Amino acid sequence: MIQTVVSMALPVDEHLQIKKQRLEPFAPTGKEKRISVVTGTHGDELEGQFVCYELLRRLKEGQEHLKGIVDVYPALNPLGIDSITRGIPMFDLDMNRVFPGDSEGPMVESMTKELVEDLEGSDLCIDIHASNIFLKEMPQVRINEITAEKLVPLAENLNIDMIWVHASATVLESTLAYSLNSIGVPTLVVEMGVGMRITDAYGHQLVEGILHLMKTQGMWDGPVKEPKKPIVSYDNEVGYINADASGIYLPETNIGDFVKEGDTIGYVVDPLTGEINETAKAPIDGLVFTRREYPVVYSGSLLGRVLGGVEQ
């Protein structure tokens, strides 16, 4: 059942509408748990679009196995998705910096408040993000250390490669995940892939994980695959590789590669002179979990990240 969660008037007789698809068991008891899957907060992050499609397809195909309520919100920022804009067009706002919103505030704050109210009461929420157009991220869940005790065991069932527990000082209180966790809705933030693209393999991987997580919560009794055992990073050293020279970046490593300190991870080349301006080296031993995808770089551009303290 498709429901309109938010509807607001726009100029020139148009409306902003945020919709969700709700799936329920064939014979609901009224005691079902509810999971919400949200994405599209940033209009240039499209990895979640495939996840929504594939998850709904799988659930409809085996709806006799559904024992919980599933709410899927594919586009929290429909204007951003329509215009390929990270923030909310016209307002020049990052939507994930406006939560939990205010019903008496301006339009965007009123909109985010309605979204939070609709999501309130969920037993679990998966908040799916992609990286930007510059970087590709290994499928991972990012968790505030304040909520780690509760959320890490849930994230371990999600079939992702890595769980990155952040210090609370680095977490913004104006995000959807922080707002939902603050009102008792356990929310896992998934980061994967690259901006403006869809990585099919990552999408299938996460859908398998969502189904497995639902099974552990009694929301699904259909077949599931055994999830990957993720690397859990609490205080592991993270090595950042930044360009020292400008040019075109040609990576030599892939997401998931293990490198040693001093290994070549890529080259910054000059297409005018035919010379290598810089040979980028791994700063530590570890796992490559972020890789530069957009080739034009300048001094200071992030080329990649390596997670230390991880054995092959």
Side-chain angles (χ1 to χ4, degrees):
M1 177 173 57
I2 296 176
Q3 302 175 357
T4 299
V5 178
V6 177
S7 180
M8 294 187 168
L10 293 173
V12 200
D13 253 350
E14 294 188 352
H15 277 78
L16 181 152
Q17 291 189 326
I18 300 174
K19 299 183 179 183
K20 71 178 181 183
Q21 172 78 280
R22 168 166 287 191
L23 293 183
E24 297 180 332
F26 287 133
T29 66
K31 298 180 180 179
E32 286 80 11
K33 287 185 175 182
R34 173 186 167 204
I35 182 173
S36 293
V37 178
V38 303
T39 191
T41 308
H42 296 127
D44 62 348
E45 298 180 358
L46 304 178
E47 300 281 7
Q49 302 301 301
F50 178 76
V51 174
C52 291
Y53 156 75
E54 181 63 12
L55 178 63
L56 287 171
R57 186 191 71 78
R58 293 278 299 274
L59 291 173
K60 288 180 178 180
E61 192 176 72
Q63 197 163 350
E64 69 274 13
H65 297 292
L66 184 60
K67 305 303 177 185
I69 297 171
V70 182
D71 282 341
V72 177
Y73 304 70
L76 295 194
N77 178 10
L79 297 179
I81 291 176
D82 287 347
S83 60
I84 323 175
T85 305
R86 183 171 182 81
I88 302 176
M90 300 184 296
F91 300 96
D92 195 27
L93 283 173
D94 183 335
M95 188 176 186
N96 214 26
R97 301 294 182 269
V98 190
F99 289 100
D102 181 353
S103 57
E104 302 299 322
M107 174 182 165
V108 175
E109 292 190 34
S110 177
M111 176 177 70
T112 53
K113 181 66 172 178
E114 288 187 45
L115 279 170
V116 170
E117 289 176 349
D118 196 74
L119 288 160
E120 190 172 3
S122 300
D123 294 282
L124 190 60
C125 180
I126 311 295
D127 181 14
I128 304 171
H129 292 262
S131 188
N132 52 39
I133 64 170
F134 301 101
L135 302 170
K136 185 175 185 178
E137 296 283 356
M138 170 182 285
Q140 60 195 264
V141 172
R142 297 184 178 180
I143 294 174
N144 181 342
E145 66 179 1
I146 297 173
T147 55
E149 184 177 354
K150 183 176 186 178
L151 296 186
V152 168
L154 293 172
E156 288 176 331
N157 290 288
L158 207 49
N159 198 37
I160 38 78
D161 295 85
M162 174 182 165
I163 299 170
W164 192 358
V165 180
H166 283 270
S168 58
T170 67
V171 176
L172 295 171
E173 297 182 5
S174 54
T175 63
L176 175 62
Y178 186 94
S179 298
L180 291 179
N181 279 308
S182 296
I183 60 173
V185 178
T187 302
L188 300 173
V189 178
V190 176
E191 186 92 17
M192 67 180 193
V194 63
M196 295 191 186
R197 297 291 183 272
I198 287 176
T199 311
D200 290 14
Y202 288 174
H204 285 294
Q205 178 181 340
L206 182 57
V207 169
E208 292 291 349
I210 293 173
L211 291 173
H212 185 274
L213 181 57
M214 287 175 60
K215 191 159 191 173
T216 67
Q217 301 300 306
M219 301 183 198
W220 174 259
D221 68 2
V224 296
K225 293 182 179 179
E226 189 65 24
K228 290 186 173 187
K229 183 175 177 60
I231 298 164
V232 183
S233 171
Y234 283 92
D235 53 5
N236 300 49
E237 182 184 4
V238 174
Y240 292 78
I241 307 105
N242 295 89
D244 290 327
S246 300
I248 301 297
Y249 181 60
L250 306 177
E252 290 287 308
T253 55
N254 292 308
I255 295 288
D257 286 351
F258 286 85
V259 294
K260 294 289 187 180
E261 181 178 351
D263 285 354
T264 297
I265 65 126
Y267 300 95
V268 179
V269 303
D270 188 332
L272 180 62
T273 65
E275 297 177 351
I276 295 174
N277 290 347
E278 179 188 356
T279 301
K281 304 284 189 180
I284 58 173
D285 297 356
L287 175 73
V288 177
F289 70 96
T290 304
R291 190 182 94 147
R292 180 82 179 190
E293 292 292 309
Y294 192 75
V296 178
V297 299
Y298 301 95
S299 178
S301 295
L302 182 63
L303 304 181
R305 286 187 286 231
V306 177
L307 180 66
V310 181
E311 295 183 2
Q312 188 168 5

